[in-house]
Structure formats: structure tokens, C-alpha cells
Amino acid sequence: MGIVTVSHSNVLDCLNNPSPRTLGRSPLEWLDRLRRPTVVRVAGRDRSRTRAMSTLLHGNEPSGLFALHRWLLEQHTPEVNMVFLLGGVYPAKIPPMLSLRQLPDGLDLNRCFKEPFDGEEGAIAQAMLAELRKAKPECLLDVHNTSGTGPAFAVTITNDAAHQALTSLYTDRLIMTDLRLGALMEYSEQEVPTVTIECGGSQDEQAHQLAYEGLVRYTSRPDVLSLEKAEWDVAVLRNPIRVELDPEATIEYRLEPSGHADLTFPPDIEHRNFGVVSPDEPLGWIGDKGLGILTAISHNRAEDVEQVLQVKDGQIYPAQDIKAFMITTNPVIAKSDCLFYAVKATGEPIF
């Protein structure tokens, strides 16, 4: 079957048990066939239970799409009913495909899962939430790629056995945050275990393979919420600081500063992801405006960049031993989202 229905005022298309002939030969061919954000439903052996997975919330993060396309082509029968949500179809389809995080002048869809649901992205987020409320899943995964190269990790707003068990389907690193940004991950507050999975870089074949293998584990196991069945011990990092760049500031990625940018990072800065950086290891170079172009925001909205970073002789260093992640070399993401997140080297909050 490949039944297509339209719901929520033409916001979402729905595919029920799609057959391989409707999926195209490749993920890009399937994406080309999708007309709008789409819900895919696949019946499971146990029709009394449902799990959900969202992916492609950002149009330049393909691992979840690749994994789902492969899984659907292979015609797996899941242990329970599955609901898959593909949110960022519009930006993903703009040529070159899978290159834009969001529509030009559009909103970040993964910041729109809260009132007032503004704009087209707000309408998509609201329709996705309505699908979840209707499906009543026992758990929800939101599969992404990191904005830079680096190891996989998970993010949640709740740290308990169920969330660690879901994390362990993909990785052994879990970030627990109290910061609220309007992300789909906050669906956990509806008392449904919800975890964001960051599979690794969008161009990394290992990230695509991890997304697929995790999806197979998620859909094939009778119990995915029991920590006793987890394959790895999960290391938890708590309430990272979010370091943001002023929207008017400039950033370059160069081996040496040109003198024209407010902040310069080396091109291989991504290699710092999840490594410990000490106060005597420079991260990059800062311009004449100093640390004033940066903001460090904690989970409770407190701001204190000088607890995270310091400047010595025009170079920028950690103010203490830190573990940084989500470092990107994409200047657009660095300005529109954030430069990186950081915790103490011990995994505890910086402040």
C-alpha cells in the first residue's frame, strides 16, 4: 500500500505502509517525490502500541532520511506501530538538495514547537504535535546531524532510566539540559520519553550508518525503555552553557586571522568536539571588540561569558577546563544558532 492522505489543513501529507515502488530508488528520489512535510505510518506486530520518530527537521541533516528510506525499502515489520515525521521537506528540496537548514528568511522549525506557532514553520510544528497527540506514542526520537564533524550524542530535558535506555540505542553520551528553546525534544514534558539523537556530521557515512542501525534497534525490540537492556553505559553531561555570537559580528575560519573578522577559529576547530580543552590551549583569535560579541547562556538564562572564555594577547582561551561540543565550521549556523555548547571537564555545569 502507498495510500496518501492530507491532514491538518494541507500542512502534512500522510503515507500509510508505503510500498517500495512509491519510494524511488534513492533517498533523493524519494525526497523529490514528497510534496510537503509528511507523516509515514507503518503497522507493527503489536497494534496496541506505537513509537514515533521525527527526522529532517533541518533540511541539511540527511542521516535520518537516509536511514528511514533504507528501512522502508527493506520492508521491515516493526515490533509496534511506527509513526515517522518528516518536517523540513521544503528547505531540503531546494537545490542543491539537503543543503539548507531552513527556508531563506524562514524560521528554524526546531524552535517552533511552542506557542504562538508563528509562520509556516509554526503551522508545521503544530500539525506534527497534533499527529503525536493522536498517535499517543510510548516514546519519541528526534534524529539529527550535528552542525559540525564529531561523535554522536543525545540530548534530553529529562534524565532517567527510560531516556538513558533510548539514548543507548545510538550512543553512550547524553546531554541533559533545562534550557527551553521550543524544540521538539520538549515533548518530553507531555510525559512521553523523548530524546534528540545527534548522529554526527551530515557528510559522514558513519553517521548515516548509525542512524540506520539505531532505527533497526528502535523498531525491532519489544522493550526500548528498560535500562537493563541497554548496550552501553551512558555518560551524562548536565546543563551545558550555550555560547552565542552576536548577529552583527563576523566570523572566519582560517589558520591565521585576516584582521577583518571579530572572531577567527581554525578550520579544524571541529576536532575539539567532546575533547577537554584547558585554559592554556587557544581556541582561536578575537578582534578589537573582545568578548563583547559573545554571550554564554546557562539553563536558567544566567549570562557570564567570562566563566567560559578569556582573552590573552588577542587569542581566546577557555577560562577553565571545559568539554565543548556542537562546534561548527559553518558560519551561517554559528551566527543563526550557536558557536558551541560547553560543560566543565567533569561533565557538570559551568554555572
Side-chain angles (χ1 to χ4, degrees):
M1 294 176 63
I3 299 172
V4 179
T5 59
V6 180
S7 63
H8 306 295
S9 303
N10 294 329
V11 175
L12 301 178
D13 277 352
C14 298
L15 301 176
N16 295 318
N17 299 306
S19 66
R21 63 181 176 78
T22 68
L23 298 170
R25 293 163 295 181
S26 71
L28 290 182
E29 188 174 327
W30 186 37
L31 178 60
D32 189 55
R33 294 181 181 186
L34 297 177
R35 297 177 299 171
R36 54 175 65 86
T38 299
V39 180
V40 181
R41 301 190 187 98
V42 179
R45 294 184 182 88
D46 183 349
R47 301 293 179 90
S48 69
R49 299 160 57 199
T50 299
R51 295 172 193 160
M53 188 186 95
S54 168
T55 195
L56 205 68
L57 283 188
H58 295 135
N60 62 346
E61 299 178 7
S63 287
L65 174 72
F66 292 172
L68 177 58
H69 182 261
R70 177 179 170 183
W71 186 87
L72 290 171
L73 277 184
E74 292 172 349
Q75 292 287 279
H76 293 262
T77 300
E79 186 67 25
V80 303
N81 296 329
M82 294 300 305
V83 173
F84 300 99
L85 302 162
L86 299 169
V89 171
Y90 295 137
K93 286 172 68 73
I94 295 176
M97 278 187 173
L98 300 172
S99 63
L100 291 181
R101 180 181 177 91
Q102 61 208 59
L103 290 174
D105 301 320
L107 301 174
D108 182 333
L109 178 57
N110 205 28
R111 299 293 180 267
C112 294
F113 289 94
K114 62 179 180 179
E115 294 181 343
F117 300 110
D118 288 332
E120 184 172 46
E121 292 82 6
I124 294 168
Q126 191 172 27
M128 290 175 64
L129 290 173
E131 283 291 332
L132 289 171
R133 286 192 291 269
K134 182 169 66 175
K136 297 183 174 65
E138 62 187 21
C139 48
L140 168 64
L141 293 181
D142 182 25
V143 177
H144 288 257
N145 288 105
T146 54
S147 53
T149 298
F153 63 96
V155 190
T156 181
I157 62 171
T158 305
N159 176 31
D160 59 17
H163 288 80
Q164 290 190 25
L166 287 171
T167 295
S168 73
L169 297 171
Y170 290 80
T171 179
D172 59 357
R173 298 178 184 89
L174 176 61
I175 313 298
M176 196 285 290
T177 179
D178 291 328
L179 189 63
R180 301 293 183 268
L181 299 171
L184 179 58
M185 172 183 67
E186 292 155 27
Y187 195 69
S188 185
E189 293 178 327
Q190 306 296 318
E191 299 183 0
V192 176
T194 303
V195 174
T196 292
I197 303 294
E198 300 278 358
C199 291
S202 62
Q203 307 301 315
D204 188 347
E205 187 60 40
Q206 185 176 356
H208 307 333
Q209 183 65 20
L210 175 65
Y212 170 77
E213 291 174 356
L215 174 58
V216 171
R217 286 188 282 265
Y218 185 49
T219 56
S220 64
R221 295 182 178 179
D223 183 4
V224 294
L225 297 176
S226 171
L227 194 58
E228 294 177 1
K229 306 266 185 5
E231 295 189 359
W232 301 302
D233 290 330
V234 176
V236 181
L237 308 179
R238 302 176 187 278
N239 282 325
I241 301 302
R242 178 180 166 93
V243 180
E244 297 181 357
L245 181 65
D246 187 286
E248 303 303 317
T250 54
I251 183 171
E252 292 181 343
Y253 296 89
R254 301 169 57 94
L255 291 173
E256 294 182 355
S258 67
H260 302 300
D262 297 314
L263 180 65
T264 303
F265 278 157
D268 63 353
I269 187 71
E270 292 174 316
H271 295 159
R272 298 287 194 179
N273 276 316
F274 282 101
V276 174
V277 190
S278 70
D280 59 359
E281 295 180 86
L283 292 169
W285 298 266
I286 199 82
D288 294 338
K289 297 177 184 176
L291 292 179
I293 62 168
L294 300 174
T295 306
I297 305 172
S298 75
H299 64 284
N300 57 13
R301 296 290 177 175
E303 298 182 15
D304 190 351
V305 71
E306 292 184 354
Q307 288 200 49
V308 186
L309 300 169
Q310 60 182 328
V311 176
K312 295 185 288 188
D313 299 324
Q315 289 188 286
I316 190 168
Y317 295 79
Q320 57 183 294
D321 289 340
I322 65 170
K323 184 174 291 186
F325 52 94
M326 287 290 279
I327 304 172
T328 179
T329 54
N330 185 325
V332 175
I333 294 176
K335 291 184 66 171
S336 66
D337 190 27
C338 74
L339 278 175
F340 60 86
Y341 289 84
V343 293
K344 289 183 178 180
T346 60
E348 294 303 307
I350 292 176
F351 60 87

